[in-house]
Amino acid sequence: MQAGVLLIVAACLRTHTLPVSVQEPTAQAPLGRRLWLRLLPFGLVLLVVYVVDSTVSAWSAVYLRGTLDASLSVAPMAYAAYQAGTVVGRATVDRLVQRVGSVAVVRTAALVVAGTLLGMAAAPSWPVAVLAAGGVGLGASVLAPLCLASAARLRPTASETVLARLNLFNYAGVVTGGAVSGLLGSTGEFRLAYAAPAALAVLVLTGARHFTRPPGTSET
């Protein structure tokens, strides 16, 4: 079925000629050590986000199946709930920021992520774990766009370079989250694999004060 959908999409695509730029590239000033230090809080938050994302996306089905005795048809539901929470979070983050500010949103999201990860770790049954996974997606999803938007404002004339450097942290988070949770799961400690990132999510609170933005601007 998926292959058929992809074939239909491919058949409907139209090609367009790309415009040729006549502007000469301009050299950008180096970012400098001071900017790297200002970028670090956003990088650490992004690292935590992708540790959490990798842990849930890679191992939630195995956790439900092996630890909570969910059936094969039910096991993927935690990841589906996580994605549903992600969609809701991304759809509402701008309005939340405009209403209460970036700092409050980041702090609330960090607490939601920490609490729901602990909920997954302590879940007595798979329905509880599925609901908690939805909460994890809701909280974690708003942090990444806020990181990118705030980091880009550190050097507006070189935002592409700044964001490219920031993305190094999400690669590290994906690798770390998937590997560590997999190692813990292989020893039968999948509950610990979800409790450990909860402690990291609390660390996001220390970086929340850096998430400020000029009035009237959008975060996503």
Side-chain angles (χ1 to χ4, degrees):
M1 179 178 177
Q2 290 89 342
V5 172
L6 289 175
L7 287 174
I8 293 173
V9 172
C12 295
L13 291 177
R14 298 178 60 186
T15 59
H16 301 274
T17 303
L18 295 176
V20 179
S21 177
V22 296
Q23 296 180 347
E24 292 294 331
T26 57
Q28 292 180 346
L31 296 182
R33 182 176 299 178
R34 184 174 181 181
L35 183 62
W36 275 110
L37 292 175
R38 295 174 63 194
L39 186 64
L40 187 60
F42 306 116
L44 293 177
V45 172
L46 202 62
L47 174 69
V48 172
V49 169
Y50 280 94
V51 165
V52 171
D53 179 83
S54 182
T55 301
V56 175
S57 61
W59 301 105
S60 60
V62 179
Y63 173 54
L64 261 67
R65 177 66 175 162
T67 303
L68 301 178
D69 298 322
S71 65
L72 287 174
S73 60
V74 166
M77 289 183 64
Y79 182 61
Y82 174 78
Q83 290 295 333
T86 297
V87 171
V88 173
R90 293 285 172 87
T92 58
V93 60
D94 264 345
R95 291 183 180 178
L96 290 174
V97 168
Q98 291 168 4
R99 179 170 296 182
V100 300
S102 299
V103 173
V105 171
V106 171
R107 287 174 176 165
T108 302
L111 291 174
V112 169
V113 171
T116 50
L117 280 173
L118 290 175
M120 286 192 72
S125 60
W126 67 261
V128 176
V130 169
L131 289 175
V136 175
L138 182 66
S141 63
V142 307
L143 295 173
L146 290 175
C147 279
L148 297 174
S150 298
R153 285 193 293 270
L154 295 177
R155 183 71 64 81
T157 58
S159 58
E160 296 89 349
T161 304
V162 171
L163 294 180
R165 300 297 185 270
L166 186 64
N167 277 329
L168 295 174
F169 290 91
N170 71 38
Y171 300 140
V174 168
V175 173
T176 302
V180 172
S181 58
L183 287 173
L184 291 173
S186 67
T187 63
E189 298 294 336
F190 260 122
R191 291 188 184 276
L192 183 59
Y194 288 99
L200 293 178
V202 174
L203 294 178
V204 175
L205 293 172
T206 63
R209 61 188 177 87
H210 298 279
F211 287 79
T212 57
R213 69 182 182 89
T217 59
S218 174
E219 292 288 0
T220 58

